[in-house]
Structures are given as C-alpha cells and as structure tokens.
C-alpha cells in the first residue's frame, strides 16, 4: 500500500498523464507499462534493442566461425585419408592375393585327393 500511494502520486504529477483510474492495485513492476511515452521507457527499449542486436550479431559471427572450423577439420581429415588410401589399398590387395594363392585349387570334397 505504501508503494501504491507513491505510485499514484507520481502518476498524478507526471506530465501528459491525467487518467489514473485504471492504475490502482498495481505494483512497481507494472510501472513502465503506464509510462510508455516517456524518455525513460524509450531509452530502456533502445538499450534492449541494442543488446538484442549485439547478441544476434555475436551469434551469427560465432556460428559462421564454428562452421568454418568444422569445414577445416573435415578438409584436414579428408586429406589425411586421401594420402593413406593408396597404401591401404595396396596392403589389402596383397592380403587378398596371398589368401587366394594359399588356397587349394579344388573345392572341399575334391581337395582330399
């Protein structure tokens, strides 16, 4: 009640604010909703807008940098695999040739002969 009386007194003395009939029973958190035309609320909205824009720019730049980093990591991994792929292919081909050279010529029932 102490804050409500102070709030109503402020609204009666505020410039350009004559009707305080709908403002009874309010607390201080609703103060800025009834002051929508004053400079204080304008600067608060402006500061919120600036902070919101700065956050959006920060998130956009950080996402671009992280995607760039991911592409660089994929590129490095691809180059490493590309360099080792010829060696891996030759080892696997050699293993297949050795496996088939040591097998018997005939299938299972006939190889006992």
């Amino acid at each position: 009640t102490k804050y409500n009386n102070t709030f109503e007194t402020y609204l009666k003395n505020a410039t350009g604010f004559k009707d305080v009939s709908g403002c009874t029973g309010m607390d201080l958190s609703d103060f800025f909703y009834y002051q929508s035309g004053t400079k204080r609320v304008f600067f608060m909205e402006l500061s919120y807008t600036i902070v919101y824009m700065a956050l959006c720019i920060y998130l956009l730049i950080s996402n671009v940098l992280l995607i760039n980093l991911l592409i660089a990591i994929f590129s490095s991994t691809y180059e490493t695999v590309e360099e080792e792929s010829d060696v891996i292919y030759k080892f696997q081909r050699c293993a297949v040739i050795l496996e088939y050279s040591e097998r018997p010529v005939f299938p299972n029932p006939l190889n006992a002969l």
Side-chain angles (χ1 to χ4, degrees), residues 8-22:
E8 289 176 5
T9 305
Y10 177 78
L11 285 178
K12 288 177 186 175
N13 295 332
T15 58
F17 213 102
K18 305 293 185 215
D19 183 22
V20 292
S21 60

Side-chain angles (χ1 to χ4, degrees), residues 40-64:
R40 186 172 189 177
V41 172
F42 173 74
F43 286 123
M44 286 182 62
E45 289 176 2
L46 181 65
S47 65
Y48 287 147
T49 305
I50 291 172
V51 168
Y52 183 73
M53 287 174 47
L55 177 66
C56 289
I57 291 170
Y58 169 75
L59 289 175
L60 180 69
I61 291 173
S62 64
N63 281 336
V64 168

